[in-house]
């Protein structure tokens, strides 16, 4: 069967990593025709926008995309392409498996956590008002003295609809992958109405899945628990902002951003991407680890039904990491990323 999949090289270290993934997948006997489209800096240069309509159209047509990282300028410039893409395509569920591969340098053993992060709501919804704007002034007035008059304002919506669908997604995921426990994580002791609603809905959904243990933790305590005893956790279910932060924490537990894979799912489309960003200081140096994007491609293969090649790819990556002879700097080696990829290809062929 031939698959047509949208490929977004992105910017920074994205293009070099995407090329590597293409090459490795060529050795897997899966017939993929890539439809390559620009987003981020190259699209800005060519079309004057970081997210041209053809990117959205291509994903809508092909239903599946593999994406390199895209830079988001801080404070000014364009809004995050990543966030816009997730919102435009309604990719409401972000899944980030964090497990330790033997050979990875980490202080921990026995970590196998899946982060399920709500992707469209919360402080990431993009509703912000500059200081002294009319909406900011209006909200400040409503706050009755709780907010300084020169504050900029971000809105944090958490809805029943949004929480219901991510909670159902998480429990269905747990069922499908035979996971035993879901820990919902928020700061509901302080944000009683928004985070409180998130817990309330998760609790309601949990009742339909008695075979899966459900518990709740506050995000500050959760961070400490993860650092001290990560082996106690299975699936973490979080709203958008905490999910983003805790993802990097968990990536740190299992060896860093170089090995952290991810996927974004909606009811119709799926976009696979590493957790890491465009690492601009490493651009063009071929230094950064290709594992994170390769493992994201492994999730993509699984998703399209190519489980055997997906397992084969994971096995080959795992062997190369375990041997430790030809790995990138973050795994304690000095191989270039394409050299590590060649080693992975050798394993695939052997
Ligand atoms: P980053 O993830 O790009 O890099 C932070 C550091 O992590 C790097 O300096 C490097 O030391 C390490 N690192 C990252 N990827 C690695 C890899 N594959 N192998 C080994 N080490 C790796 O984070 P940042 O510097 O905060 O962000 C850079 C840009 O990327 C920002 O504009 C940010 O908004 C964007 N970003 C994009 C995405 C995305 O496209 N999904 C995700 C996160 C950040």
């Amino acid at each position: 069967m031939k698959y047509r999949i949208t490929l977004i090289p992105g910017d920074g270290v994205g293009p070099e990593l995407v090329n590597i993934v293409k090459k490795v997948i060529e050795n897997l006997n899966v017939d993929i025709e890539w439809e390559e489209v620009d987003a981020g800096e190259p699209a800005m240069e060519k079309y004057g926008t970081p997210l041209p309509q053809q990117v959205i159209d291509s994903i809508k047509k092909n239903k599946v995309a593999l994406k390199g990282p895209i830079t988001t300028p801080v404070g000014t410039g364009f809004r995050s392409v990543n966030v816009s893409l997730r919102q435009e395509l309604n990719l409401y569920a972000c899944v980030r498996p964090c497990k330790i591969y033997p050979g990875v340098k980490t202080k921990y053993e026995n970590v196998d956590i899946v982060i399920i992060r709500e992707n469209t709501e919360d402080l990431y919804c993009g509703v912000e008002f500059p200081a002294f704007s009319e909406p900011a002034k209006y909200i400040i007035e409503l706050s009755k003295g709780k907010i300084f008059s020169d504050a900029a304002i971000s809105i944090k919506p958490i809805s029943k609809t949004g929480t219901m669908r991510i909670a159902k997604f998480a429990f269905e995921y747990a069922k499908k992958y035979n996971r035993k426990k879901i820990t919902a994580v928020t700061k509901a002791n302080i944000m009683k109405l928004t985070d409180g609603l998130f817990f309330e809905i998760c609790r309601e959904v949990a009742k339909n899945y008695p075979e899966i243990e459900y518990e709740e933790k506050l995000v500050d305590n959760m961070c400490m628990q993860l650092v001290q005893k990560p082996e106690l956790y299975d699936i973490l279910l979080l709203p958008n902002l905490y999910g983003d932060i805790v993802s990097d924490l968990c990536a740190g537990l299992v060896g860093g951003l170089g090995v952290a894979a991810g996927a974004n799912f909606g009811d119709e489309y799926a976009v696979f991407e590493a957790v890491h960003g465009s690492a601009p200081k490493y651009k063009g140096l071929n230094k950064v680890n290709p594992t994170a994007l390769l493992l994201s491609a492994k999730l993509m293969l699984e998703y399209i039904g190519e489980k055997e090649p997906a397992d084969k790819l994971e096995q080959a990556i795992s062997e190369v990491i375990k041997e430790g002879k030809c790995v990138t700097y973050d795994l304690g080696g000095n191989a270039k990323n394409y050299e590590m990829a060649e080693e992975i290809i050798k394993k695939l062929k052997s």
Side-chain angles (χ1 to χ4, degrees):
M1 179 170 170
K2 189 166 192 137
Y3 303 96
R4 201 173 161 80
I5 293 177
T6 300
L7 186 67
I8 306 167
D11 55 37
V13 294
E16 67 198 51
L17 294 176
V18 160
N19 272 336
I20 283 174
V21 171
K22 261 164 74 177
K23 223 179 214 163
V24 172
I25 289 187
E26 271 166 27
N27 289 275
L28 274 173
N29 262 337
V30 189
D31 195 1
I32 294 179
E33 187 188 333
W34 300 105
E35 185 171 294
E36 212 163 305
V37 284
D38 282 325
E41 281 166 5
M44 197 69 193
E45 280 163 27
K46 276 193 217 162
Y47 311 110
T49 165
L51 185 56
Q53 186 57 36
Q54 59 260 36
V55 176
I56 305 286
D57 292 345
S58 170
I59 302 175
K60 284 192 172 167
K61 183 172 50 131
N62 298 325
K63 315 271 188 227
V64 181
L66 181 70
K67 174 186 160 296
I70 293 173
T71 307
T72 307
V74 177
T76 56
F78 47 78
R79 245 194 100 210
S80 166
V81 171
N82 306 303
V83 174
S84 305
L85 207 53
R86 290 168 198 157
Q87 286 179 341
E88 284 264 347
L89 297 168
N90 214 358
L91 301 169
Y92 59 84
C94 177
V95 175
R96 292 172 164 175
C98 300
K99 81 172 184 192
I100 293 178
Y101 288 92
V104 164
K105 281 203 304 189
T106 161
K107 296 186 175 69
Y108 298 91
E109 300 164 26
N110 201 15
V111 179
D112 184 3
I113 293 171
V114 177
I115 296 200
I116 299 187
R117 162 191 174 199
E118 202 290 324
N119 236 354
T120 60
E121 295 203 287
D122 197 357
L123 284 159
Y124 277 64
C125 79
V127 183
E128 288 196 298
F129 303 111
F132 305 112
S133 63
E134 285 311 313
K137 281 194 224 160
Y138 177 66
I139 293 165
I140 289 165
E141 207 178 299
L142 287 180
S143 84
K144 297 200 171 88
K146 285 188 190 151
I147 307 176
F148 282 123
S149 62
D150 54 358
I153 309 267
S154 289
I155 302 284
K156 172 186 165 104
I158 298 221
S159 68
K160 187 172 171 183
T161 309
T163 309
M164 186 70 85
R165 66 182 182 180
I166 191 70
K168 278 188 184 156
F169 179 95
F171 280 93
E172 285 299 319
Y173 182 98
K175 233 168 85 174
K176 183 169 173 194
Y177 292 97
N178 202 18
R179 295 266 170 175
K180 307 285 178 238
K181 180 167 86 167
I182 293 188
T183 308
V185 184
T186 74
K187 188 75 183 163
N189 55 333
I190 305 297
M191 275 157 283
K192 294 181 195 299
L193 300 184
T194 46
D195 287 359
L197 181 64
F198 191 87
F199 272 170
E200 191 187 313
I201 303 295
C202 290
R203 224 173 281 149
E204 204 179 303
V205 172
K207 286 188 193 139
N208 300 324
Y209 300 85
E211 71 281 16
I212 297 161
E213 188 187 339
Y214 171 74
E215 64 174 8
E216 293 169 0
K217 288 261 182 295
L218 296 174
V219 66
D220 37 0
N221 177 31
M222 187 74 244
C223 290
M224 186 198 69
Q225 299 265 335
L226 283 169
V227 170
Q228 287 196 323
K229 34 194 171 183
E231 67 283 356
L232 296 185
Y233 298 94
D234 189 346
I235 288 182
L236 305 184
L237 169 59
L238 312 95
N240 211 338
L241 177 65
Y242 311 133
D244 193 13
I245 297 167
V246 173
S247 291
D248 273 32
L249 191 159
C250 287
L253 299 177
V254 299
L257 286 171
V259 294
N264 302 288
F265 298 102
D267 292 329
E268 288 179 89
Y269 315 113
V271 175
F272 297 82
E273 61 178 340
V275 175
H276 67 74
S278 56
K281 70 177 179 193
Y282 291 108
K283 178 183 173 180
L285 301 180
N286 293 110
K287 272 189 78 169
V288 297
N289 195 339
T291 301
L293 196 60
L294 281 168
L295 288 174
S296 308
K298 175 241 164 195
L299 296 176
M300 180 196 80
L301 291 170
E302 244 170 37
Y303 177 78
I304 61 174
E306 295 289 345
K307 172 108 178 63
E308 210 182 295
D311 290 345
K312 207 171 148 193
L313 174 59
E314 185 179 29
Q315 182 60 32
I317 296 168
S318 173
E319 280 172 30
V320 170
I321 293 176
K322 192 172 176 188
E323 283 174 10
K325 287 188 302 211
C326 190
V327 293
T328 45
Y329 78 96
D330 56 310
L331 298 178
N334 54 14
K336 297 277 190 192
N337 49 20
Y338 56 82
E339 291 168 339
M340 183 168 171
E342 279 157 18
E343 204 58 27
I344 293 168
I345 292 171
K346 271 192 216 154
K347 299 284 178 208
L348 289 176
K349 287 180 170 165
S350 66

